[in-house]
Amino acid sequence: MPSTTLTQSLERDDAIAPRPGRRVFVKSFGCQMNVYDSQRMADVAAAEGYEETAQVEDADLVILNTCHIRERASEKIFTELGKLRELKDERAQSGRATTLVVAGCVAQAEGGEIIRRQPAVDLVVGPQSYHRLPDLLRRAENGKARIDTEFPLEDKFLHLPASSPAAIRARGPSAFVTVQEGCDKFCSFCVVPYTRGAEVSRPLSQIVEEIARLVASGVGEVTLIGQNVNAYHGRDAAGRDVDLAGLLAAAAALPGVLRLRYATSHPNDMSDSLIAAHRDIGALAPYLHLPIQSGSDRILAAMNRKHSARDYLDIVARARRARPDIALSSDFIVGFPDESDADFAATLALVREVGYATGYAFKYSPRPGTPAAELDDPVDEAVKTVRLAELLALLEAQRLAFGQSLVGRRLEVLFDKSGRRPGQIVGRSPYMQSVYAEGGADRIGAMCSVEIIRAGANSLTGRIVATSSRETGAKL
Ligand code: 5AD
Ligand code: SF4
């Protein structure tokens, strides 16, 4: 999207002058959606003349892109803001102004409360209003409205400036693309339907264009992201419905797309076509992040997940039939209100039955406004802590065992950066593990076939045996 579209979207007298020499620092918390949004906010700032910096001390504009999913994630933001207030004061003493912006899900959920708790904040902006940032910044500078947490009707993606080729190259050969936002599932513990709103999918043509632009600037791997990505529904040029499987097929057909991923999925939207995509689309990584949250049907019902543990296991079996080398990961919540020893044992049993490549476990955190926050919870905090440790230990053991099962196998690795040692490069396996190998920087951006020779707890080591013929058009 050319930046003129952005300017057109502003009222003429609200347009702001370019700011040569100014710098922006964006810090992202939480999920991949926020990483993507942070990049798009950096693009908006770039269109306004701000150069991106990794040094917060140098920044005239600081944007915190926040996460509200668990209480601890939320509270982190206020600690961070306290430090930024000191920095703002220090910079002011040497005559440099700093504009402090809070974006993301805490902004959406807490709005004006943020400015009351931390008056150094200049602007609070929700995830649906990032395209309005230039306008909002000017208004904040003039002491006008400092909060925008609306869900505007216009499509923000149409108004966001495109990432420049230089920005794309700087971000490396693996990119995220948001394809849908929001969620209609209303799991009883989750704030997402409130902070991100109803499920909305981006038009297919808009997404395909964005991927084509990324690939033209050297991106080889694209992860399609959304809070409930497998609920994706768009239309093709002929007006036919397209689901996530259709979108993946359209993306895979673009020359230069070496590997595709998608996250995060809900079990109830694992359609036959999506499972078949794992069999039919060569570029689709044999990896499925499919959160179940609990292995107990009683807790799944209380969570409003609308499926049983058996339904989930059936999906896993179908996915494995379609793509025998597929590996799974999941999210789990321990200590949901009233979770009994038997409920927790059912979670451990499910983890053992599936055998995960990796997994993420969180202690339940009551979120204001969600139905689960109203439930009585007789479970002792110490019991929850023990359960979390036990589940994490099991997942860790499975992660190590999975890594070791790959020793001797050849995996497709997309190298994305230099290693710590000279002559060493680092990339990602199809299963998201870091893979270290000896190789020149000219391989960064290329997909290589790598024989795995060692597996540690957090990474694999391998030997490059071939550089894939499906190389990126423009190397990074
Ligand atoms: N408490 C703990 N974990 C949560 N998650 C979402 N909401 C909560 C909550 N209130 C976890 C889920 C989800 C992941 C992104 O965060 O496991 O899949
Ligand atoms: Fe939250 Fe459930 Fe929607 Fe995932 S599917 S974003 S956990 S409400």
Side-chain angles (χ1 to χ4, degrees), residues 4 132 169 215 261 321 350-351 372 417 431 458-459:
T4 45
R132 296 179 177 174
R169 276 193 291 274
V215 171
R261 305 177 184 277
R321 274 199 299 277
L350 179 127
V351 172
K417 57 181 183 223
Y431 307 116
N458 296 310
S459 63

Side-chain angles (χ1 to χ4, degrees), residues 9-32:
S9 76
L10 305 174
E11 290 163 36
R12 192 168 280 276
D13 63 342
D14 277 332
I16 54 177
R19 293 148 192 270
R22 300 244 190 149
R23 297 204 172 92
V24 59
F25 172 88
V26 191
K27 182 160 180 179
S28 205
F29 297 83
C31 66
Q32 296 169 342

Side-chain angles (χ1 to χ4, degrees), residues 69-70 189-191 264 291 293 331-333 360 362-367:
I69 197 93
R70 287 170 293 275
F189 52 82
C190 185
V191 284
T264 289
Q293 316 295 356
D331 295 340
F332 301 90
I333 295 178
Y360 308 86
F362 312 98
K363 200 188 273 189
Y364 169 69
S365 166
R367 307 310 291 129

Side-chain angles (χ1 to χ4, degrees), residues 77-417:
I77 305 306
F78 289 98
T79 315
E80 195 80 17
L81 285 174
K83 287 192 224 145
L84 287 171
R85 187 189 63 93
E86 284 172 23
L87 180 65
K88 185 171 175 164
D89 289 347
E90 276 166 32
R91 283 176 47 98
Q93 277 161 20
S94 55
R96 293 175 301 166
T98 314
T99 305
L100 199 49
V101 178
V102 178
C105 294
V106 177
Q108 187 65 39
E110 304 203 6
E113 186 56 30
I114 296 173
I115 293 176
R116 272 190 292 279
R117 270 181 77 174
Q118 184 47 269
V121 172
D122 297 285
L123 175 65
V124 174
V125 56
Q128 296 310 322
S129 302
Y130 297 155
H131 56 301
R132 296 179 177 174
L133 262 174
D135 178 24
L136 295 168
L137 284 170
R138 201 181 104 90
R139 281 163 185 265
E141 276 170 16
N142 294 339
K144 291 201 199 145
R146 298 159 72 196
I147 303 159
D148 186 343
T149 52
E150 277 175 45
F151 287 103
L153 287 176
E154 77 248 24
D155 176 357
K156 76 172 168 200
F157 292 103
L158 278 178
H159 300 285
L160 284 166
S163 308
S164 70
I168 296 171
R169 276 193 291 274
R171 289 166 191 163
S174 179
F176 295 133
V177 173
T178 290
V179 303
Q180 70 79 229
E181 289 191 283
C183 182
D184 294 339
K185 294 280 190 290
F186 289 93
C187 298
S188 63
F189 52 82
C190 185
V191 284
V192 165
Y194 312 96
T195 52
R196 292 281 180 156
E199 199 276 306
V200 180
S201 293
R202 290 178 69 188
L204 178 82
S205 57
Q206 208 186 74
I207 298 166
V208 171
E209 263 170 45
E210 187 170 328
I211 297 174
R213 259 200 318 270
L214 290 168
V215 171
S217 294
V219 165
E221 175 181 271
V222 176
T223 305
L224 306 180
I225 53 173
Q227 268 99 20
N228 198 178
V229 74
N230 58 345
Y232 178 81
H233 53 98
R235 287 243 157 85
D236 67 11
R240 283 180 302 243
D241 288 342
V242 177
D243 61 4
L244 183 63
L247 173 57
L248 286 164
L254 293 170
V257 170
L258 304 180
R259 187 153 68 193
L260 290 167
R261 305 177 184 277
Y262 62 92
T264 289
S265 297
H266 191 287
N268 289 354
D269 291 318
M270 283 310 297
S271 62
D272 290 344
S273 60
L274 187 51
I275 287 178
H278 280 282
R279 183 193 60 213
D280 300 335
I281 300 179
L284 181 56
Y287 182 74
L288 175 58
H289 179 61
L290 191 64
I292 182 167
Q293 316 295 356
S294 167
S296 153
D297 287 343
R298 196 177 73 91
I299 297 296
L300 286 171
M303 287 176 165
N304 194 32
R305 293 288 290 183
K306 300 202 175 91
H307 63 78
S308 64
R310 175 50 47 204
D311 296 334
Y312 180 92
L313 291 169
D314 286 346
I315 295 165
V316 171
R318 278 162 56 219
R320 283 180 167 154
R321 274 199 299 277
R323 181 83 205 228
D325 61 344
I326 203 164
L328 280 112
S329 69
S330 176
D331 295 340
F332 301 90
I333 295 178
V334 302
F336 189 78
D338 200 27
E339 181 189 65
S340 66
D341 285 342
D343 293 321
F344 179 63
T347 298
L348 294 178
L350 179 127
V351 172
R352 288 198 185 94
E353 183 160 354
V354 173
Y356 286 99
T358 189
Y360 308 86
F362 312 98
K363 200 188 273 189
Y364 169 69
S365 166
R367 307 310 291 129
T370 59
E374 308 297 315
L375 298 174
D376 282 341
D377 183 14
V379 185
D380 208 75
E381 197 53 35
V383 170
K384 295 182 183 183
T385 304
V386 171
R387 285 181 189 162
L388 181 63
E390 194 175 350
L391 178 54
L392 285 172
L394 176 58
L395 291 169
E396 175 71 21
Q398 291 196 343
R399 191 147 55 99
L400 189 59
F402 177 69
Q404 283 167 350
S405 76
L406 299 172
V407 173
R409 269 187 52 191
R410 287 184 181 190
L411 299 180
E412 297 272 281
V413 175
L414 178 65
F415 286 100
D416 57 6
K417 57 181 183 223

